[in-house]
Amino acid sequence: ILLQWALQPPHMQCLRPVDQLLQTIQDVFPPAHNLGEHKHFSKWKPISLDATCSDKEKVLTKAVRKLRFFLHPDRLPGDLTDDQDFVCRLLWDITSDAWEDYQ
């Protein structure tokens, strides 16, 4: 399911653009995929990237910083299950790679 979220159809060979990932990341946070709920994920507010072309870079940069702060491995709660922690680290890696591709 994470692969369907992260990879571009039809061949599923490359990552979706970072703006698409940022706008839908809340769909793959726990409790999605039977990972159990945790109060940390309820703090996330979905990101809207509605901006003019001139502001898009600035808005996107701010959104990526917000997500990196939220998912940073050193800032995750200590009481996450192993599966929740794994998903967070996977989301961190996917969005970091997508951001690098964008730049």
Side-chain angles (χ1 to χ4, degrees):
I1 293 180
L2 283 174
L3 292 177
Q4 291 174 350
W5 168 77
L7 299 177
Q8 274 190 1
H11 303 294
M12 307 301 260
Q13 296 292 322
C14 59
L15 288 174
R16 291 180 190 268
V18 69
D19 58 334
Q20 289 180 17
L21 295 176
L22 288 170
Q23 289 178 310
T24 59
I25 196 162
Q26 66 275 359
D27 298 338
V28 291
F29 280 156
H33 319 298
N34 298 319
L35 291 177
E37 290 189 39
H38 192 280
K39 64 182 178 182
H40 177 68
F41 302 106
S42 65
K43 296 175 186 176
W44 179 258
K45 304 293 183 231
I47 295 173
S48 173
L49 297 177
D50 298 332
T52 63
C53 292
S54 61
D55 291 338
K56 186 169 183 170
E57 177 100 17
K58 200 181 296 185
V59 171
L60 193 56
T61 301
K62 185 177 178 179
V64 168
R65 286 185 184 151
K66 177 182 173 183
L67 180 68
R68 286 184 173 196
F69 183 80
F70 188 78
L71 288 179
H72 193 281
D74 293 339
R75 297 183 93 32
L76 291 174
D79 61 344
L80 292 178
T81 66
D82 290 341
D83 290 338
Q84 290 171 334
D85 186 63
F86 175 75
V87 167
C88 287
R89 291 174 190 271
L90 188 61
L91 293 173
W92 169 272
D93 290 341
I94 290 168
T95 53
S96 293
D97 290 347
W99 179 242
E100 285 178 23
D101 288 350
Y102 174 78
Q103 292 181 321

